[in-house]
Amino acid sequence: MNPFQPLPLYGREVSERYRRLQTDALPPHIFAVASRAYHAMLGRGGGGPRNQCILISGESGAGKTESTKLLLQHIMNLCKGNSQLEQQILQVNPLLEAFGNAQTVMNDNSSRFGKYIQLRFQKNTVQGAKLSEYLLEKSRVVQQDTGERNFHIFYYMFAGLSSEQKEIYGLLDPSLYRYISGRFGTQEVAERWKHKYREVCNALDMVGFQEQEQVDMQAILAGVLSLGNVTFEPEESNGSVKVSEASRGWLKAAAGQFGVQEDELLKCLICTTSVTRGEQIQRFHTQPQAEDARDSIAKVAYGRVFGWIVSKINELLAENVDPEVELREIGILDIFGFENFAVNRFEQLCINLANEQLQHFFNHHIFQLEQAAYKEEGLPWETITFNNNEPILNLLLAKPLGLLSLLDEQSAFPQATDKTFVDKLNSTFKGSLHFQPARGRALAFTIMHYAGKVQYAAEGFLEKNRDTLPANVRGLFINSITPLLSVLFTATVSRTGTLMPHVKAKVVPGADDKFNSTRKQSVGAQFRHSLMVLMERMYSADPHFVRCIKPNNQKEPGVLDNQVVLLQLRYNGLLETIRIRRDGFSWRPSFEEFTERYGILLVKPDVPLTKESCLEILQSTELKGWICGKSRLFFKYWHQEQLAKYVERLERAAVIVQKVFRGFRCRKSFLKLLAELRAREQRLQEEAERERLRQLALAAEAQERNSLPVPMPRKRRPQSSPHPSDQSPQPPVPRPRSKLTESTPFDNFLNPSVPRPVLGTEEQTGEEAKMRKLKRGATLRWFKETQAQKVMQDDGAFPSWLHGMISRREAENLLIDKPLGCFLVRISQSRPGYILTYRGEGRCRHYMIQMQPNARYVILGEDRAHASLTELVQYHQTVGIQPFMEILTVPCGQKSSESLCCENLEGLTLSSPTEKGETPSEKQSCPSPPSSSKPALQWFRRTKNSQNQETPDKGRTKPASGEGSQRAFPRLRSSIRLAMHEIQQFTSTPMRVSEQRSSLH
């Protein structure tokens, strides 16, 4: 299947849901690519099911990230599922954008890393996802050029955290931090960042991150910012360096945020410790070396946090299916676009190398493979020339004389410098058409890329490629009392640079000055390996290309610069692509594939998979313009749509035949069953008549034997009972079935010889009844042990909308006479969780509330997680529940303490009498919401008060209503608070002195 084959509008083949989705919101080209990849993965439209990949490419700022989000959204809609996994996958993009995107001069939301998302499918349902990340631009953490910013997450934290939370994490005014250059933004921008921070927190909750993990992660990020404010000054006594007095508080804050000792962190910054022949030797750093050590720690810490986020996402979204089940895959590649800044560094070289590799992959599939197939099959074809960038790839990736190989060679020499590296390049690539040395003495070189000429500043190439870490830092962070930081530096790094937290690195004694024992490869070598793995994945799948075109260079909406667009069309090879699409044959199935797919058009069984069958099929249609080759057929892109119409016509005819036959078979079965019933009824009547005649004959004989007649007793008329309750119970009246309720015992009742069951009871085997009782008991224990205190309010009463463990029918009976929008929440009878029952227009709806492993509550299908059940209800009292956007209005309160739902709550909130020291007679009825003097509520209130009194930390804030779990905090919160006070005192003292001087003058 050709990547550029346009997808036909499906009409009746797709449901109204997807047609509405296409016309309302989704761009047509995104709809076409996503639908084509999804149906090709399932094997529809010709050929068997195969893995698919979608490559999104273009310049920085052309819209690749937004296209990725739209593709994911549509593929998830095509799955037709309603699982929480789909919503979790959709939340991955905003989460990674916050930690991996930043503002540049070319794009306000530029991806500073590459990602490849693999969606795993079983049939047409998504079962899991895996994410691969490539080359995070860690240098941005410590340095940004003019007009650029750090990663988004730092600004989101300052805008979204409350004053209390900032104090907990040790964050002060953003203008004080060097790593964000003291730039923050306007009030409008800050409000937007505040909203983004809420989205990031919700994404973390939705995907499944634990609360303590989120706290530790933000504490590490705060430590990175504090570490950047540590400055050094020369030591007068021994010529070493020391931390300046002004930054002592920042060092203490960073140590507290990282969860390590202050003096140990200081040693890692100002000196290197090694052991030689059993003797410990310390080498003190110069001021530039100390600053490099500080920045290296910040970069590695942030890089490992990002790698851990990706690894955690893969762990939480991994498929949970039988390993023997074969899964199909759709991969989406969203990688950084081609970049050409005023100053281009090592990161830009790797980014442009990746784009060169993707352009070569595009040329290989669109031009080389297709034209080779035409020549091999003997088709008349005029060769189309294209810009082949293979020589540029050889210049960059060849061994042993490629640019990256020479960079690794120079990085291995301790005495090598950036100048020796540039000299090596100039001597190796002298005379190359794609390499130009810099003029004068500048440490730079120029490469002629497929998209244009780019000059790279070689300063810092060797250091960034080595990516060294100061001595003893790894051991220091492994022993951190912050569990997440310890996990980050205990983990190992794969050949492709992927962090593997569950694989511990082997620690070699005396090798603490290395990153870890497995980190022997340079950054360039890791990136080269990751590119190789990526290309292997894409070559094994059917590709689909999405080319994003940037309209202008001013980041202005609605402005189209013709020259900018034309330049992109030319260097991307799109003009040649248009020509080969016009003159070529986009669909090239083999004889076997075509016959297997369209043999139904011959309307005969056992069609042989031969060339003759293909020609016979095509002759039965009115298709024109196709060509038959030696081993395959060649079609234009519109031929597949026309063949689909022929197949659709036969499918409609088959449906009509099936309908008529099924109707005939059902009528025949019904008449046979009816005849059997009538025959049985007639037999029963005949037997009854014979029995009656026999009884009459016996009675006549008895009467003849008795000479004297015996008077018969008088029949008494039945007396009517004065009380209606004394009457005999009447049989139940069948109730009409609701569309959303389970079927009643009276539905589809075909056997009149079997007595009808009583309404509300179902015949169950002993095993089924036992399992149902076990599930109910397990759910009751779950609520009592983990949920009761969370749901109970501060006054000790349950919310009025909570109705315990009641059935679906009972919930609907409670809401049947309630106003529109009335609702209640009930405990599920078959699983740990809740169900929200809503009184809609003409019917009740039941929404499943899922309890995630990280103790967050989510309505199945919603994109928002909540910390408590009360918060979920309050949120949906203002925001409608998808897809009908129904807003909760009036809670359905408890009518009395004797109702079934109240008894369930009473049974759940009270332990056994022996545990509480109570006799069975002391057990009260279930408390209604207005009453708070019941024993169960008093017991819970005493429990809550005792827990609050036992909390030793007075600074801990009181949890919100409905939240029984304790809040998570950084491990060294007290040390962070002391450091913040010290910093504030130091910064306020010069201000007071200056104010006093100004007052004297």
Side-chain angles (χ1 to χ4, degrees):
M1 180 174 291
N2 192 275
F4 278 92
Q5 174 200 344
L7 189 77
L9 297 180
Y10 282 96
R12 289 179 296 273
E13 294 182 19
V14 295
S15 65
E16 184 64 27
R17 173 187 179 189
Y18 305 125
R19 191 183 300 113
R20 184 172 63 251
L21 175 67
Q22 177 191 6
T23 56
D24 288 352
L26 206 64
H29 65 282
I30 297 295
F31 178 86
V33 173
S35 300
R36 184 170 62 245
Y38 179 76
H39 291 294
M41 181 267 300
L42 296 176
R44 302 171 183 170
R50 285 203 60 189
N51 293 340
Q52 309 291 312
C53 67
I54 303 174
L55 279 70
I56 307 174
S57 59
E59 282 192 6
S60 179
K64 298 181 297 297
T65 301
E66 294 301 318
S67 297
T68 301
K69 290 191 285 189
L70 291 173
L71 281 168
L72 277 174
Q73 173 190 343
H74 185 55
I75 292 176
M76 292 299 102
N77 286 329
L78 287 172
C79 293
K80 302 179 183 179
N82 192 25
S83 67
Q84 203 57 34
L85 177 62
E86 297 162 6
Q87 288 296 335
Q88 290 176 316
I89 293 174
L90 292 177
Q91 294 297 323
V92 168
N93 264 311
L95 178 58
L96 294 180
E97 277 187 35
F99 288 87
N101 287 27
Q103 176 182 328
T104 66
V105 294
M106 298 179 67
N107 185 6
D108 291 343
N109 187 33
S110 177
S111 298
R112 310 317 301 162
F113 72 108
K115 64 176 178 288
Y116 187 64
I117 305 174
Q118 298 168 264
L119 304 175
R120 307 280 176 78
F121 293 86
Q122 184 179 4
K123 295 183 179 179
N124 63 339
T125 305
V126 63
Q127 296 291 340
K130 183 181 179 182
L131 187 70
S132 303
E133 54 95 7
Y134 304 97
L135 195 70
L136 178 70
E137 189 185 22
K138 295 183 292 186
S139 62
R140 181 169 294 272
V141 176
V142 301
Q143 179 185 5
Q144 307 95 41
D145 292 333
T146 304
E148 298 191 351
R149 294 187 186 275
N150 210 321
F151 291 103
H152 292 328
I153 186 60
F154 293 114
Y155 306 97
Y156 293 172
M157 288 175 60
F158 280 110
L161 291 173
S162 63
S163 301
E164 178 191 0
Q165 290 173 320
K166 289 179 183 177
E167 181 181 356
I168 290 173
Y169 291 116
L171 292 175
L172 299 176
D173 189 88
S175 61
L176 299 176
Y177 292 94
R178 187 177 67 87
Y179 279 168
I180 58 176
S181 304
R183 300 190 300 268
F184 193 63
T186 62
Q187 185 65 28
E188 180 182 357
V189 174
E191 285 296 324
R192 187 168 69 249
W193 287 343
K194 185 176 182 180
H195 177 70
K196 288 288 188 181
Y197 179 76
R198 295 193 188 119
E199 288 184 356
V200 171
C201 293
N202 179 65
L204 289 168
D205 289 339
M206 286 289 295
V207 175
F209 287 79
Q210 299 291 337
E211 183 180 3
Q212 188 61 55
E213 293 174 339
Q214 300 181 34
V215 169
D216 291 346
M217 179 174 59
Q218 295 187 78
I220 294 172
L221 298 181
V224 169
L225 293 177
S226 299
L227 186 64
N229 284 5
V230 176
T231 57
F232 304 93
E233 58 187 19
E235 183 78 45
E236 297 179 357
S237 59
N238 54 6
S240 60
V241 294
K242 65 177 182 178
V243 175
S244 62
E245 286 296 324
S247 60
R248 276 283 178 183
W250 293 109
L251 178 64
K252 184 180 296 184
Q257 289 155 343
F258 286 142
V260 298
Q261 295 295 326
E262 179 185 355
D263 55 346
E264 296 294 331
L265 180 59
L266 177 61
K267 288 181 182 178
C268 295
L269 293 173
I270 65 174
C271 66
T272 300
T273 304
S274 60
V275 178
T276 304
R277 296 180 181 179
E279 183 179 358
Q280 192 174 18
I281 301 175
Q282 284 188 344
R283 296 189 299 272
F284 289 95
H285 293 164
T286 62
Q287 185 170 346
Q289 289 175 335
E291 292 173 351
D292 289 342
R294 172 200 63 199
D295 293 344
S296 297
I297 294 174
K299 289 188 294 185
V300 171
Y302 188 87
R304 291 229 159 181
V305 167
F306 185 81
W308 171 79
I309 291 174
V310 173
S311 175
K312 187 72 174 179
I313 289 173
N314 291 335
E315 176 185 342
L316 295 171
L317 301 186
E319 60 273 7
N320 186 19
V321 296
D322 190 346
E324 297 181 358
V325 175
E326 184 179 4
L327 297 179
R328 293 298 173 186
E329 180 180 299
I330 297 179
I332 303 177
L333 178 65
D334 174 24
I335 207 162
F336 17 58
F338 189 87
E339 293 181 347
N340 188 2
F341 297 141
V343 179
N344 300 287
R345 300 184 175 88
F346 175 72
E347 292 82 9
Q348 277 67 49
L349 175 67
C350 295
I351 288 172
N352 294 340
L353 168 60
N355 282 271
E356 288 281 358
Q357 188 74 66
L358 294 180
Q359 181 66 22
H360 180 265
F361 181 75
F362 175 83
N363 293 337
H364 177 74
H365 274 272
I366 299 301
F367 298 108
Q368 293 178 338
L369 290 182
E370 186 165 340
Q371 297 190 95
Y374 297 156
K375 294 179 180 178
E376 182 181 351
E377 294 290 329
L379 270 66
W381 179 257
E382 182 181 352
T383 303
I384 297 177
T385 59
F386 61 94
N387 184 16
N388 191 355
N389 65 337
E390 191 169 351
I392 305 175
L393 286 177
N394 292 334
L395 183 144
L396 296 172
L397 297 174
K399 292 183 179 181
L401 297 179
L403 190 147
L404 289 184
S405 297
L406 295 177
L407 179 61
D408 289 343
E409 177 186 316
Q410 291 292 307
S411 300
F413 294 128
Q415 304 302 323
T417 62
D418 296 325
K419 185 179 184 308
T420 60
F421 169 63
V422 173
D423 294 340
K424 186 74 172 179
L425 294 182
N426 293 336
S427 61
T428 303
F429 301 124
K430 184 178 181 180
S432 174
L433 298 176
H434 304 284
F435 180 88
Q436 291 181 359
R439 297 180 180 179
R441 297 183 178 180
L443 286 178
F445 57 91
T446 301
I447 295 178
M448 309 298 293
H449 287 284
Y450 78 99
K453 180 169 63 175
V454 180
Q455 183 176 11
Y456 297 96
E459 184 178 358
F461 260 58
L462 293 183
E463 187 60 33
K464 290 179 180 179
N465 189 51
R466 291 167 180 156
D467 196 19
T468 54
L469 189 69
N472 305 324
V473 168
R474 179 170 174 267
L476 173 66
F477 284 162
I478 286 178
N479 297 322
S480 169
I481 66 171
T482 302
L484 177 58
L485 195 62
S486 178
V487 168
L488 296 183
F489 284 85
T490 306
T492 188
V493 178
S494 67
R495 293 183 63 192
T496 59
T498 303
L499 187 72
M500 297 185 292
H502 298 293
V503 181
K504 295 184 178 181
K506 298 179 181 179
V507 180
V508 180
D512 285 341
D513 56 334
K514 299 180 181 179
F515 188 76
N516 61 44
S517 62
T518 62
R519 180 71 179 260
K520 297 180 180 179
Q521 287 188 320
S522 63
V523 175
Q526 288 180 351
F527 187 61
R528 181 167 51 206
H529 283 299
S530 63
L531 269 184
M532 180 179 65
V533 173
L534 174 64
M535 300 314 296
E536 288 177 357
R537 290 173 180 167
M538 292 193 298
Y539 274 107
S540 63
D542 290 341
H544 306 262
F545 298 96
V546 176
R547 291 294 205 181
C548 297
I549 303 298
K550 190 174 182 179
N552 61 77
N553 292 327
Q554 289 74 37
K555 298 189 286 188
E556 292 290 337
V559 178
L560 187 67
D561 190 329
N562 293 335
Q563 295 300 322
V564 173
V565 172
L566 183 60
L567 179 62
Q568 295 175 75
L569 293 176
R570 283 175 176 167
Y571 73 66
N572 280 323
L574 292 181
L575 298 179
E576 292 81 5
T577 303
I578 294 172
R579 181 183 171 190
I580 199 172
R581 289 284 68 77
R582 181 191 62 193
D583 300 336
F585 299 89
S586 58
W587 184 35
R588 303 178 293 275
S590 65
F591 295 148
E592 293 79 8
E593 292 175 350
F594 183 82
T595 309
E596 185 177 359
R597 170 63 178 164
Y598 296 103
I600 189 176
L601 296 178
L602 294 180
V603 197
K604 63 180 182 180
D606 301 329
V607 178
L609 307 180
T610 60
K611 177 180 178 180
E612 290 73 18
S613 298
C614 295
L615 297 177
E616 186 179 357
I617 294 171
L618 291 171
Q619 288 171 2
S620 66
T621 65
E622 298 178 356
L623 266 64
K624 298 179 181 178
W626 52 271
I627 297 178
C628 181
K630 298 177 181 178
S631 61
R632 61 185 62 247
L633 296 168
F634 293 83
F635 295 96
K636 299 290 186 179
Y637 62 84
W638 62 79
H639 286 148
Q640 195 170 11
E641 180 182 357
Q642 295 175 353
L643 286 170
K645 291 181 179 179
Y646 285 106
V647 174
E648 182 183 355
R649 186 170 59 187
L650 284 179
E651 288 176 350
R652 288 199 302 267
V655 169
I656 294 174
V657 172
Q658 291 174 353
K659 180 183 69 173
V660 173
F661 174 75
R662 287 171 180 169
F664 166 76
R665 186 176 60 181
C666 289
R667 281 192 298 271
K668 187 176 179 180
S669 300
F670 173 75
L671 292 175
K672 181 179 179 181
L673 177 62
L674 188 60
E676 292 177 356
L677 291 175
R678 288 174 177 174
R680 183 167 55 181
E681 184 179 359
Q682 186 176 0
R683 288 195 303 271
L684 292 175
Q685 289 177 356
E686 292 175 354
E687 292 177 359
E689 182 65 19
R690 286 194 297 269
E691 180 67 19
R692 187 181 67 84
L693 295 175
R694 190 178 68 84
Q695 293 294 336
L696 288 174
L698 292 175
E701 291 178 2
Q703 189 174 5
E704 291 177 357
R705 286 196 300 267
N706 297 328
S707 59
L708 297 177
V710 179
M712 299 292 292
R714 294 178 58 188
K715 294 183 179 180
R716 293 186 178 183
R717 297 180 61 183
Q719 298 180 357
S720 60
S721 175
H723 301 286
S725 59
D726 296 338
Q727 297 179 1
S728 59
Q730 298 296 323
V733 179
R735 172 186 168 184
R737 185 182 59 179
S738 172
K739 293 182 179 179
L740 283 181
T741 57
E742 53 271 12
S743 60
T744 67
F746 298 95
D747 292 339
N748 303 323
F749 193 78
L750 299 178
N751 192 353
S753 63
V754 180
R756 293 176 179 267
V758 180
L759 182 67
T761 62
E762 298 179 3
E763 294 185 359
Q764 291 184 340
T765 63
E767 200 65 32
E768 290 176 350
K770 183 178 179 181
M771 288 300 300
R772 186 171 182 177
K773 185 176 180 181
L774 289 175
K775 288 181 180 179
R776 184 185 177 96
T779 307
L780 291 175
R781 287 193 301 273
W782 165 79
F783 181 84
K784 179 179 178 180
E785 296 171 0
T786 66
Q787 298 294 304
Q789 292 194 35
K790 293 182 180 180
V791 178
M792 186 164 286
Q793 299 173 349
D794 291 338
D795 61 353
F798 285 108
S800 59
W801 39 260
L802 183 63
H803 282 245
M805 183 177 287
I806 62 176
S807 68
R808 183 181 189 137
R809 177 65 58 80
E810 290 166 338
E812 291 182 347
N813 288 338
L814 289 172
L815 295 175
I816 194 169
D817 57 347
K818 295 295 189 294
L820 187 67
C822 188
F823 69 96
L824 60 87
V825 176
R826 54 193 174 94
I827 303 171
S828 174
Q829 294 180 319
S830 59
R831 60 173 185 84
Y834 300 93
I835 297 175
L836 188 150
T837 303
Y838 175 85
R839 173 70 166 86
E841 187 173 357
R843 65 192 299 179
C844 288
R845 302 190 193 279
H846 304 270
Y847 296 99
M848 187 181 296
I849 300 177
Q850 182 173 348
M851 184 75 174
Q852 298 196 154
N854 60 351
R856 293 297 187 266
Y857 300 83
V858 182
I859 293 181
L860 196 64
E862 283 286 316
D863 58 356
R864 185 176 179 86
H866 305 273
S868 66
L869 200 59
T870 303
E871 180 185 315
L872 182 147
V873 171
Q874 293 173 350
Y875 175 79
H876 287 292
Q877 286 178 332
T878 57
V879 180
I881 304 175
Q882 296 178 2
F884 303 103
M885 302 310 295
E886 295 172 328
I887 295 179
L888 309 181
T889 56
V890 182
C892 178
Q894 301 283 357
K895 293 183 178 179
S896 67
S897 61
E898 297 179 358
S899 62
L900 174 64
C901 43
C902 279
E903 289 175 359
N904 272 330
L905 286 180
E906 174 69 12
L908 291 173
T909 54
L910 277 177
S911 296
S912 62
T914 56
E915 292 175 354
K916 296 288 177 270
E918 301 174 356
T919 61
S921 61
E922 294 175 348
K923 187 172 181 179
Q924 304 281 336
S925 61
C926 174
S928 57
S931 173
S932 60
S933 60
K934 305 290 183 178
L937 307 184
Q938 292 175 356
W939 175 72
F940 266 107
R941 190 181 295 110
R942 289 196 302 268
T943 304
K944 282 192 172 186
N945 292 337
S946 63
Q947 288 179 351
N948 293 335
Q949 292 173 2
E950 291 173 2
T951 304
D953 193 350
K954 297 181 180 180
R956 175 168 295 181
T957 58
K958 183 178 179 291
S961 176
E963 297 178 14
S965 59
Q966 300 292 341
R967 291 178 55 187
F969 294 96
R971 295 304 195 276
L972 294 182
R973 185 158 53 97
S974 57
S975 300
I976 297 173
R977 188 185 299 115
L978 292 175
M980 292 299 102
H981 289 322
E982 182 177 338
I983 295 171
Q984 290 171 341
Q985 290 176 1
F986 190 88
T987 55
S988 61
T989 301
M991 295 177 62
R992 288 198 298 267
V993 172
S994 61
E995 290 175 358
Q996 293 175 1
R997 290 179 179 176
S998 61
S999 62
L1000 291 175
H1001 288 293

